[in-house]
mmCIF file of all heavy atoms in Angstrom:
data_model
loop_
_atom_site.group_PDB
_atom_site.id
_atom_site.type_symbol
_atom_site.label_atom_id
_atom_site.label_comp_id
_atom_site.label_asym_id
_atom_site.label_seq_id
_atom_site.Cartn_x
_atom_site.Cartn_y
_atom_site.Cartn_z
ATOM 1 N N ARG A 155 59.330 104.006 149.981
ATOM 2 C CA ARG A 155 60.727 104.142 150.216
ATOM 3 C C ARG A 155 61.549 103.139 149.476
ATOM 4 O O ARG A 155 61.150 101.861 149.540
ATOM 5 C CB ARG A 155 61.030 104.067 151.645
ATOM 6 C CG ARG A 155 60.485 105.188 152.555
ATOM 7 C CD ARG A 155 60.855 104.936 154.078
ATOM 8 N NE ARG A 155 59.942 105.941 154.785
ATOM 9 C CZ ARG A 155 59.964 105.913 156.084
ATOM 10 N NH1 ARG A 155 60.691 105.153 156.767
ATOM 11 N NH2 ARG A 155 59.109 106.761 156.809
ATOM 12 N N GLU A 157 63.858 100.991 149.824
ATOM 13 C CA GLU A 157 64.738 100.299 150.720
ATOM 14 C C GLU A 157 65.069 98.988 150.152
ATOM 15 O O GLU A 157 64.365 98.446 149.206
ATOM 16 C CB GLU A 157 63.955 100.145 152.070
ATOM 17 C CG GLU A 157 63.548 101.407 152.670
ATOM 18 C CD GLU A 157 63.232 101.323 154.184
ATOM 19 O OE1 GLU A 157 64.273 101.119 154.876
ATOM 20 O OE2 GLU A 157 62.061 101.438 154.578
ATOM 21 N N GLY A 162 58.907 92.610 156.450
ATOM 22 C CA GLY A 162 58.580 93.891 157.390
ATOM 23 C C GLY A 162 59.115 95.055 156.849
ATOM 24 O O GLY A 162 59.072 96.100 157.532
ATOM 25 N N ARG A 163 59.884 94.992 155.763
ATOM 26 C CA ARG A 163 60.435 96.251 155.122
ATOM 27 C C ARG A 163 60.133 96.181 153.726
ATOM 28 O O ARG A 163 60.625 95.320 152.997
ATOM 29 C CB ARG A 163 61.966 96.370 155.426
ATOM 30 C CG ARG A 163 62.616 97.629 155.100
ATOM 31 C CD ARG A 163 63.980 97.695 155.494
ATOM 32 N NE ARG A 163 64.179 97.695 156.968
ATOM 33 C CZ ARG A 163 64.006 98.675 157.817
ATOM 34 N NH1 ARG A 163 63.681 99.805 157.286
ATOM 35 N NH2 ARG A 163 64.170 98.564 159.093
ATOM 36 N N TYR A 164 59.238 97.055 153.297
ATOM 37 C CA TYR A 164 58.851 97.104 151.805
ATOM 38 C C TYR A 164 59.110 98.479 151.153
ATOM 39 O O TYR A 164 59.248 99.392 151.879
ATOM 40 C CB TYR A 164 57.293 96.697 151.836
ATOM 41 C CG TYR A 164 57.006 95.420 152.566
ATOM 42 C CD1 TYR A 164 56.319 95.540 153.749
ATOM 43 C CD2 TYR A 164 57.414 94.238 152.138
ATOM 44 C CE1 TYR A 164 56.117 94.430 154.672
ATOM 45 C CE2 TYR A 164 57.104 93.087 152.981
ATOM 46 C CZ TYR A 164 56.542 93.191 154.156
ATOM 47 O OH TYR A 164 56.232 92.119 154.843
ATOM 48 N N PHE A 167 54.391 100.620 151.648
ATOM 49 C CA PHE A 167 53.831 100.174 152.891
ATOM 50 C C PHE A 167 52.864 101.306 153.423
ATOM 51 O O PHE A 167 52.816 102.349 152.970
ATOM 52 C CB PHE A 167 55.063 100.014 153.909
ATOM 53 C CG PHE A 167 55.779 101.303 154.145
ATOM 54 C CD1 PHE A 167 55.484 102.088 155.278
ATOM 55 C CD2 PHE A 167 56.850 101.707 153.248
ATOM 56 C CE1 PHE A 167 56.141 103.255 155.540
ATOM 57 C CE2 PHE A 167 57.542 102.855 153.527
ATOM 58 C CZ PHE A 167 57.214 103.631 154.597
ATOM 59 N N GLN A 169 50.763 103.177 156.591
ATOM 60 C CA GLN A 169 50.907 103.642 157.860
ATOM 61 C C GLN A 169 49.466 104.285 158.283
ATOM 62 O O GLN A 169 48.725 104.755 157.451
ATOM 63 C CB GLN A 169 51.924 104.707 158.089
ATOM 64 C CG GLN A 169 53.342 104.349 157.791
ATOM 65 C CD GLN A 169 54.296 105.440 157.816
ATOM 66 O OE1 GLN A 169 53.893 106.647 157.485
ATOM 67 N NE2 GLN A 169 55.468 105.313 158.326
ATOM 68 N N ARG A 300 65.433 108.441 166.656
ATOM 69 C CA ARG A 300 64.545 108.409 165.475
ATOM 70 C C ARG A 300 65.174 108.857 164.290
ATOM 71 O O ARG A 300 66.041 109.777 164.207
ATOM 72 C CB ARG A 300 63.191 109.088 165.752
ATOM 73 C CG ARG A 300 62.681 108.839 167.160
ATOM 74 C CD ARG A 300 61.506 107.980 167.039
ATOM 75 N NE ARG A 300 60.532 108.287 165.915
ATOM 76 C CZ ARG A 300 60.235 107.406 165.009
ATOM 77 N NH1 ARG A 300 60.713 106.187 165.040
ATOM 78 N NH2 ARG A 300 59.376 107.839 163.997
ATOM 79 N N ALA A 323 60.255 97.627 165.057
ATOM 80 C CA ALA A 323 59.491 98.913 165.294
ATOM 81 C C ALA A 323 58.201 98.916 164.636
ATOM 82 O O ALA A 323 58.103 98.812 163.499
ATOM 83 C CB ALA A 323 60.296 100.200 164.870
ATOM 84 N N VAL A 324 57.138 98.860 165.431
ATOM 85 C CA VAL A 324 55.758 98.970 164.858
ATOM 86 C C VAL A 324 55.233 100.324 164.729
ATOM 87 O O VAL A 324 54.239 100.621 164.135
ATOM 88 C CB VAL A 324 54.751 98.089 165.449
ATOM 89 C CG1 VAL A 324 55.008 96.627 165.255
ATOM 90 C CG2 VAL A 324 54.639 98.384 166.992
ATOM 91 N N GLY A 325 55.934 101.258 165.340
ATOM 92 C CA GLY A 325 55.545 102.727 165.300
ATOM 93 C C GLY A 325 56.481 103.601 166.015
ATOM 94 O O GLY A 325 57.250 103.119 166.716
ATOM 95 N N ALA A 348 53.368 107.664 163.689
ATOM 96 C CA ALA A 348 52.955 106.815 162.545
ATOM 97 C C ALA A 348 53.144 105.312 163.110
ATOM 98 O O ALA A 348 54.169 105.008 163.645
ATOM 99 C CB ALA A 348 53.823 107.111 161.367
ATOM 100 N N GLY A 350 53.153 101.389 161.633
ATOM 101 C CA GLY A 350 53.313 100.583 160.382
ATOM 102 C C GLY A 350 52.265 99.464 160.330
ATOM 103 O O GLY A 350 52.313 98.514 161.179
ATOM 104 N N ARG A 353 53.676 95.887 159.616
ATOM 105 C CA ARG A 353 54.404 95.233 160.847
ATOM 106 C C ARG A 353 53.436 94.984 161.931
ATOM 107 O O ARG A 353 53.540 93.961 162.583
ATOM 108 C CB ARG A 353 55.476 96.266 161.291
ATOM 109 C CG ARG A 353 56.541 96.264 160.357
ATOM 110 C CD ARG A 353 57.772 96.787 160.935
ATOM 111 N NE ARG A 353 58.772 97.192 159.799
ATOM 112 C CZ ARG A 353 59.637 97.999 160.012
ATOM 113 N NH1 ARG A 353 59.853 98.556 161.217
ATOM 114 N NH2 ARG A 353 60.504 98.315 159.067
HETATM 115 P P1 AMP B 738 59.116 106.041 160.351
HETATM 116 O O1 AMP B 738 58.487 107.060 159.496
HETATM 117 O O2 AMP B 738 60.454 105.468 159.729
HETATM 118 O O3 AMP B 738 59.351 106.420 161.853
HETATM 119 O O4 AMP B 738 58.204 104.831 160.353
HETATM 120 C C1 AMP B 738 57.127 104.627 161.108
HETATM 121 C C2 AMP B 738 56.741 103.190 161.159
HETATM 122 O O5 AMP B 738 56.342 102.773 159.871
HETATM 123 C C3 AMP B 738 57.813 102.255 161.572
HETATM 124 O O6 AMP B 738 57.793 102.031 162.950
HETATM 125 C C4 AMP B 738 57.400 100.987 160.746
HETATM 126 O O7 AMP B 738 56.465 100.295 161.561
HETATM 127 C C5 AMP B 738 56.777 101.501 159.509
HETATM 128 N N1 AMP B 738 57.656 101.482 158.475
HETATM 129 C C6 AMP B 738 58.625 102.373 158.031
HETATM 130 N N2 AMP B 738 59.246 102.047 157.032
HETATM 131 C C7 AMP B 738 58.727 100.818 156.516
HETATM 132 C C8 AMP B 738 58.938 99.923 155.446
HETATM 133 N N3 AMP B 738 59.797 100.284 154.548
HETATM 134 N N4 AMP B 738 58.209 98.757 155.314
HETATM 135 C C9 AMP B 738 57.232 98.627 156.260
HETATM 136 N N5 AMP B 738 56.856 99.266 157.282
HETATM 137 C C10 AMP B 738 57.713 100.460 157.482
#
Side-chain angles (χ1 to χ4, degrees):
R155 296 181 192 174
E157 302 201 66
R163 192 174 292 280
Y164 310 105
F167 59 96
Q169 293 178 329
R300 311 255 317 124
V324 288
R353 290 201 196 157

